[in-house]
Amino acid sequence: MTVRTIYLEELNSLRKSVAEMGEAVEASFDMLLTAVDSKDEDLEMKIIRGDRVINDMERSIESKCLSLITRQQPIAGDLRMISAALKVVTDIERIGDQTADIAELLLRLKGCDLDAYSRHITGMLQVSKEIVHDAVHAFVTRNSDAANEVIRHDDVVDSLFAKVKDDLVYMLQEGVDNIDACVDVLMIAKYLERIGDHAVNIAEWEIFQESGSIKDIRLM
């Protein structure tokens, strides 16, 4: 096997690892949606424990990226892809963290109905899951058009967050009994809003690996 063949196989392995990490986060998000519907505390605990696996995947991918850079000294498109992967795994890991944080808040809420606090929160959960899937898929398949659609779609997440916040502010102004629960639901919505931001970052790094530019700034 030639050196070039080994190098190409390592690049393909890196792309596969990023895809697998994205799939792990999506699986965690799927469990989160199920936990919201079923009020299953065991499932919420499983999400929290599973975050360690995602952290380990991040470290493994970072090691692969640094090894490729130091051993192979890639240039042009390959260097952009490896550099982008280094950045993307940080955003995917943060999505995993925030999914686990939401699961912890659900445990504190002890099976309460999120829709009782805002009818927009479950919609926000679904849209956030979709945007994460679309962002990771755009990066792995190197689809800039799909990445641009993710960036536009984030406006939906932001709009839903504003509506959830308005609902909770109204409840607090009306003198709701459980103030702590309102704060926890607001935190859930904020984590979802941040997940949307991380999905946008992933999409922007897809554009970078194709063009060498991010947010219209030429980096490479």
Side-chain angles (χ1 to χ4, degrees), residues 187-207:
M187 286 299 299
I188 289 173
K190 185 59 182 176
Y191 284 135
L192 292 171
E193 188 264 343
R194 290 296 298 135
I195 285 170
D197 289 342
H198 287 297
V200 167
N201 290 346
I202 294 168
E204 288 175 341
W205 285 113
E206 151 50 24
I207 294 168

Side-chain angles (χ1 to χ4, degrees), residues 83-103:
S83 301
L86 265 172
K87 300 295 289 186
V88 161
V89 294
T90 299
D91 284 296
I92 296 175
E93 189 273 337
R94 289 301 297 141
I95 292 170
D97 284 348
Q98 287 155 355
T99 302
D101 289 338
I102 292 171

Side-chain angles (χ1 to χ4, degrees), residues 51-215:
D51 186 47
R52 298 174 187 171
V53 176
I54 294 169
N55 293 342
D56 290 343
M57 295 174 85
E58 178 193 22
R59 296 290 173 262
S60 175
I61 293 170
E62 287 173 340
S63 178
K64 286 181 180 181
C65 290
L66 294 174
S67 176
L68 279 165
I69 291 170
T70 55
R71 289 187 301 102
Q72 303 290 353
Q73 298 182 341
I75 58 173
D78 289 346
L79 181 57
R80 289 199 303 269
M81 190 277 282
I82 296 167
S83 301
L86 265 172
K87 300 295 289 186
V88 161
V89 294
T90 299
D91 284 296
I92 296 175
E93 189 273 337
R94 289 301 297 141
I95 292 170
D97 284 348
Q98 287 155 355
T99 302
D101 289 338
I102 292 171
E104 289 181 358
L105 288 168
L106 291 175
L107 282 171
R108 280 179 42 167
L109 288 165
K110 296 187 181 299
C112 82
D113 183 5
L114 296 182
D115 286 335
Y117 293 86
S118 174
R119 64 186 178 87
H120 302 290
I121 191 76
T122 50
M124 195 177 182
L125 280 159
Q126 185 60 46
V127 173
S128 298
K129 175 186 177 298
E130 292 169 1
I131 198 173
V132 168
H133 169 80
D134 293 345
V136 174
H137 188 259
F139 183 84
V140 172
T141 60
R142 306 194 66 158
N143 188 331
S144 293
D145 290 337
N148 280 312
E149 185 59 33
V150 167
I151 295 168
R152 288 190 291 270
H153 201 189
D154 184 50
D155 290 341
V156 178
V157 179
D158 292 340
S159 176
L160 287 168
F161 174 65
K163 290 175 180 177
V164 172
K165 184 170 65 175
D166 288 345
D167 288 343
L168 293 167
V169 167
Y170 176 78
M171 290 183 73
L172 290 169
Q173 289 173 339
E174 290 297 301
V176 65
D177 292 334
N178 196 341
I179 295 174
D180 286 345
C182 283
V183 174
D184 286 345
V185 174
L186 179 59
M187 286 299 299
I188 289 173
K190 185 59 182 176
Y191 284 135
L192 292 171
E193 188 264 343
R194 290 296 298 135
I195 285 170
D197 289 342
H198 287 297
V200 167
N201 290 346
I202 294 168
E204 288 175 341
W205 285 113
E206 151 50 24
I207 294 168
F208 164 79
Q209 73 172 335
E210 306 305 330
S211 67
S213 298
I214 188 166
K215 296 181 179 178

